Amino acid sequence: MSSPLDDVKEALKAITLGQTKLLSAVEAVSQRVAELEKKQEEDRQRKDGGSGAIGVDRAAAATPLSGGYAPPSSAVLPAEAGTLSPPPSAGIKSSFSSRVVLTTYPKQIGIKPIPLEWGAADPLQRGPVAVSRSPSTIGKRNAIGAHGGSYSIYYALAVASRELNADHRPDFTNTEPAVNIGPFPQWGDKKKIVAMDPWGHLVPWIYKDVIEKENVDLRPTIAITKAHMKLPELEDSVKSGRLVPDGKVCLNEAGELSVLKIAVEPVWYLPGVAERFGIDEGTLRRSLFEYTGGMYPELITRSDIKVFLPPIGGLTVYVFGDPAKMSDPSKRLALRIHDECNGSDVFCSDICTCRPYLIFGIEEAVKEAQNGGSGVVIYFRKEGRALGEVTKVVVYNARKRGEDRASDYFKRTENIAGVKDMRFQALMPDILHWLGITKIDRMLSMSNMKHDAIVGQGIPIYERVELPEALIPADSRVEIDAKINAGYFTTGHRMTEEELKSVQGRIWDDIDH
């Protein structure tokens, strides 16, 4: 004889089964509705050239930003039709459905994210990162954002202008990584890697069954290839004897280099990112939502989704020599962590030391590889100390219209941006953990922020190497002397505040000469 508790359990099972069947039915109906809407839209465009309003599905109850980001308890949220924008002009065609889903909520019908256990050592147990909003994937997403970082905007423009089919799926034939990297124990530590997907380079192959059998759109966030590097300064390095061609790393008298190249898109595990910055996850989500102009409302509504692909630039790793030696503690490693500076890195501006230090870092990395160790240069997209190039150029104007003295170097940036530097190196060491690096023999950087972030993640640095005096352009003395005075590493003289006043760069009237 069954007890009342057994009866309740059976009733709950029946309800669960009923909900599962209902969910399947709703998904099937939703998919059919989407197909019919698409066909209807195509028929309408053929008839009248694409005029018509765009509707929008909106949750009736908005989640307040204050007091956390807990979603409504209702499993089924009512929708309300509304106009998102004026009807397109005659002759302008729209390729989109008349319904737009602005946000989703946990437990909503049709929402069943693919399980994701960040930090699991087994990639199948960890699960894939699914971020696509395609009809077959949107209900299974376990990540917020979009592939491509800041380039996702161009993807959107390509779809909107019909240069790209929104249903396109990549053909990954012959796209396998050029070499094997890892796995390393660090990949299974959720505190060591929080800003990239350690399995991002193997997505099409590890999760092939998920892609094919479950019809889920999954894409890599890391790619690994082989390349040659040729820079004019490296030819001078060979002529001067600083580099010696060996036919393996430095290929010839022109200073052409053989290099392994790794491109990485950011993938943030939000609880881990929040912990690195010493803030709570709710504060992080709210700030990311509000200060990107409300770009990602699901940062607020989807507290169950812990992964975010932010709309920022990624990084590129350049490895010289045998990549297996990066993670071999018995081999020496030379490392340059370089933050983007378009004006200097690409166009050779002499107002800062960025390109000289980059070239010096490449030279020293090549030498270490030729000596039986490994050399690594990591290039982060953080233009203008992550303040952006417009802010950087505005600061240049302010400096050059003044006296451009080293004593005022940081003050002009703070006056305009409100902060000296927004690179915040807390997430930077993740790439070192991913590469399997456990110690650095020669760190080609004078930055204390970079040094402290790396050492704080348990990776010792045995030697710090500053930029040689001979490689410092005259107009960049303002920058380098101000940084040294502010605490940057040096074995030389650290100027006093009074001495800094005598260090002056080109002023406004000198620029045209």
Side-chain angles (χ1 to χ4, degrees), residues 382-399:
K382 295 179 181 177
E383 179 64 60
R385 301 186 213 155
L387 299 169
E389 196 165 23
V390 169
T391 297
K392 181 170 73 171
V393 172
V394 168
V395 169
Y396 284 169
N397 280 350
R399 285 174 51 193

Side-chain angles (χ1 to χ4, degrees), residues 4-236:
L5 182 58
D6 290 333
D7 292 340
V8 171
K9 288 180 179 179
E10 288 300 318
L12 288 174
K13 285 181 182 179
I15 291 171
T16 301
L17 180 61
Q19 286 181 333
T20 301
K21 291 180 178 179
L22 176 61
L23 178 58
S24 299
V26 169
E27 287 179 340
V29 170
S30 296
Q31 189 170 357
R32 180 58 177 158
V33 168
E35 292 171 356
L36 290 173
E37 282 186 337
K38 184 176 180 181
K39 184 177 184 303
Q40 185 181 45
E41 182 71 16
E42 291 170 351
D43 291 342
R44 183 188 62 76
Q45 289 172 1
R46 282 195 293 268
K47 291 178 181 179
D48 60 22
S51 63
I54 301 176
V56 55
D57 278 357
R58 297 181 299 191
T63 303
L65 290 178
S66 59
Y69 47 89
S73 58
S74 174
V76 184
L77 297 173
E80 175 188 13
T83 300
L84 185 63
S85 61
S89 302
I92 299 178
K93 298 181 179 180
S94 170
S95 60
F96 294 98
S97 163
S98 61
R99 296 190 308 132
V100 178
V101 178
L102 291 183
T103 190
T104 59
Y105 295 86
K107 300 180 181 179
Q108 189 175 346
I109 285 182
I111 300 300
K112 190 177 181 181
I114 295 173
L116 182 64
E117 185 182 338
W118 194 270
D122 183 336
L124 296 180
Q125 180 185 350
R126 202 294 301 270
V129 173
V131 73
S132 171
R133 291 176 66 93
S134 65
S136 66
T137 307
I138 187 169
K140 302 173 184 176
R141 288 177 312 140
N142 54 25
I144 302 162
H147 285 292
S150 57
Y151 293 99
S152 62
I153 302 299
Y154 291 100
Y155 186 97
L157 287 174
V159 172
S161 60
R162 294 188 171 187
E163 296 294 326
L164 174 65
N165 187 336
D167 297 329
H168 173 73
R169 291 286 185 92
D171 178 354
F172 292 112
T173 303
N174 291 331
T175 63
E176 295 87 351
V179 301
N180 293 323
I181 300 289
F184 298 107
Q186 298 93 312
W187 293 17
D189 188 335
K190 65 171 62 178
K191 291 186 179 293
K192 290 190 180 297
I193 297 182
V194 301
M196 58 183 290
D197 177 5
W199 303 101
H201 56 311
L202 299 173
V203 169
W205 303 280
I206 290 179
Y207 303 113
K208 183 178 180 181
D209 284 351
V210 179
I211 294 172
E212 294 179 353
K213 296 179 181 179
E214 299 185 35
N215 192 26
V216 176
D217 186 0
L218 303 176
R219 306 192 180 194
T221 54
I222 303 173
I224 306 173
T225 191
K226 295 179 180 179
H228 281 194
M229 177 186 289
K230 193 172 182 180
L231 298 167
E233 290 95 334
L234 298 180
E235 187 171 1
D236 293 337

Side-chain angles (χ1 to χ4, degrees), residues 287-361:
S287 190
L288 289 172
F289 169 71
E290 290 188 347
Y291 296 101
T292 57
M295 187 179 289
Y296 297 100
E298 285 171 321
L299 286 168
I300 306 300
T301 65
R302 293 301 302 275
S303 59
D304 60 318
I305 293 182
K306 300 296 184 181
V307 174
F308 176 47
L309 277 62
I312 60 173
L315 64 92
T316 311
V317 181
Y318 297 88
V319 181
F320 302 93
D322 182 357
K325 293 181 179 179
M326 289 186 293
S327 57
D328 186 344
S330 70
K331 305 297 183 183
R332 286 176 57 83
L333 172 71
L335 173 71
R336 167 69 183 164
I337 301 285
H338 190 93
D339 291 328
E340 177 184 29
C341 177
N342 182 63
S344 179
D345 296 342
V346 179
F347 295 103
C348 303
S349 168
D350 66 348
I351 199 172
C352 62
T353 58
C354 295
R355 184 177 174 101
Y357 220 150
L358 178 60
I359 299 298
F360 177 66

